Amino acid sequence: MHPLSLLEALPSISLCANLMPMVAAQGRSGTEPPSLPQVDVVFDALAHEARRHIVQVLAHYGPELPSGYLAKRFTHSWPTTTRHLHVLEAAGVVSVRRDGRRCVYRLERDRLRRVIGGWLAQLDPPTSEQTWPPSGPRSVTKGTTS
C-alpha cells in the first residue's frame, strides 16, 4: 500500500470538521479564553500539512499509535516524521508515552478543544449580556474650538 493511500482512504473530513464538536463543547464550558502564546503555539504546530495529517491519523485511528506506525504512513523520512511529532508534542497537541524502546503518541483532544475552541469562541458576536469597558478616557467633545 502506498504511504499516502491511507490518507486518501480517510473519510473526506477536514480537520476543522473534526474540531467543530470540540468547539461546541468549548462554548458551553465557560472557561477562560486561551492566552495568545497558547494559541500561537498550537496554530504554529498545525500550520504544516504533514502535522495536520498526523493529527487526523491519530484522531481517526487512535487513541494511541506508535511512532513507527505513523512514520510508515508518510513518504518523508523517519527523522522528518520524528521532527513533526516533536513539534506537535512541544505544542501539547500530542503526548508521548514510552513503552520500552517504542514511543506511543496520543492526540490531546482536551487541549485542542480548550485552545482552538476557546480561540474560535472569541469570534462569536457579543451578546446583550456582555458589556465592554472603556479602553481609556473619553476624548473632548467634538466641534469645540479654543
Side-chain angles (χ1 to χ4, degrees):
M1 176 179 251
H2 190 271
L4 288 180
S5 60
L6 171 68
L7 292 175
E8 293 166 358
L10 284 174
S12 59
I13 299 174
S14 70
L15 181 60
C16 289
N18 286 335
L19 292 174
M20 290 316 292
M22 296 180 196
V23 172
Q26 172 65 30
R28 293 187 299 268
S29 68
T31 60
E32 285 292 315
S35 69
L36 188 55
Q38 290 172 328
V39 172
D40 284 346
V41 164
V42 170
F43 275 77
D44 285 347
L46 296 175
H48 196 283
E49 180 183 8
R51 293 192 288 267
R52 290 191 305 273
H53 284 220
I54 290 170
V55 167
Q56 286 183 308
V57 170
L58 280 166
H60 193 266
Y61 294 106
E64 291 185 337
L65 294 172
S67 57
Y69 179 90
L70 292 167
K72 288 178 185 177
R73 301 302 174 254
F74 299 95
T75 57
H76 47 255
S77 68
W78 179 281
T80 300
T81 302
T82 301
R83 271 195 310 274
H84 287 309
L85 287 166
H86 285 291
V87 170
L88 291 169
E89 181 185 6
V93 174
V94 300
S95 59
V96 63
R97 177 177 56 83
R98 309 261 188 264
D99 183 18
R101 291 180 46 167
R102 290 179 1 145
C103 293
V104 181
Y105 288 86
R106 171 183 286 276
L107 181 63
E108 291 299 326
R109 295 173 192 270
D110 289 339
R111 174 153 169 86
L112 286 173
R113 282 184 188 103
R114 187 173 55 77
V115 175
I116 295 175
W119 181 80
L120 287 172
Q122 293 178 31
L123 302 179
D124 291 340
T127 63
S128 60
E129 294 86 35
Q130 292 174 315
T131 59
W132 303 104
S135 59
R138 291 190 169 262
S139 62
V140 294
T141 58
K142 294 181 183 179
T144 60
T145 58
S146 308

